[in-house]
């Protein structure tokens, strides 16, 4: 998603890893709109419900990380393909894709 102007939302995966069934991810806010929350929507396949990952606001220029137990969500081994749904304060969304392992 790319937009021009003062209300441009943009995010990136800064880091992701899986260890002992726990996924840890850091999301960076590259735009000028605060990130409202981040959820996992795909973990080696679409999930029936999003898994909340980051539930606190991420201001522009900042990063936030969180960990979540994924043992009950996938039977596959490493590497994992992961999609994060980023929701911005202006209701824009962005899907970020990454892999771990």
């Amino acid at each position: 998603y790319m937009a021009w102007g003062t209300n441009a939302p943009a995010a990136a995966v800064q880091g992701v890893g899986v260890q002992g069934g726990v996924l840890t991810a850091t999301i960076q806010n590259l735009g000028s709109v605060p990130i409202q929350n981040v959820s996992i929507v795909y973990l080696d396949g679409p999930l029936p419900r999003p898994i909340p990952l980051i539930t606190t606001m991420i201001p522009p220029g900042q990063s936030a990380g969180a960990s979540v137990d994924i043992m009950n969500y996938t039977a596959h081994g490493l590497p994992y393909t992961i999609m994060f749904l980023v929701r911005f304060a202006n209701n824009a969304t962005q899907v970020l894709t990454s892999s771990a392992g």
Side-chain angles (χ1 to χ4, degrees):
Y1 179 80
M2 182 60 106
W4 297 100
T6 59
N7 293 328
V13 176
Q14 205 169 28
V16 64
V18 175
Q19 187 172 14
V22 176
L23 181 138
T24 301
T26 302
I27 305 296
Q28 182 178 16
N29 187 342
L30 301 172
S32 59
V33 177
I35 292 173
Q36 188 170 335
N37 59 58
V38 179
S39 299
I40 301 168
V41 293
Y42 184 97
L43 184 61
D44 276 342
L47 295 171
R49 288 184 309 263
I51 303 169
L53 180 66
I54 299 172
T55 57
T56 58
M57 194 79 72
I58 306 172
Q62 300 295 311
S63 297
S67 297
V68 64
D69 184 346
I70 60 168
M71 289 297 287
N72 295 325
Y73 294 101
T74 182
H76 299 102
L78 294 172
Y80 295 112
T81 299
I82 306 151
M83 289 184 180
F84 302 96
L85 176 64
V86 179
R87 184 169 309 280
F88 295 89
N90 66 355
N91 289 325
T93 59
Q94 181 179 1
V95 175
L96 305 175
T97 303
S98 189
S99 61

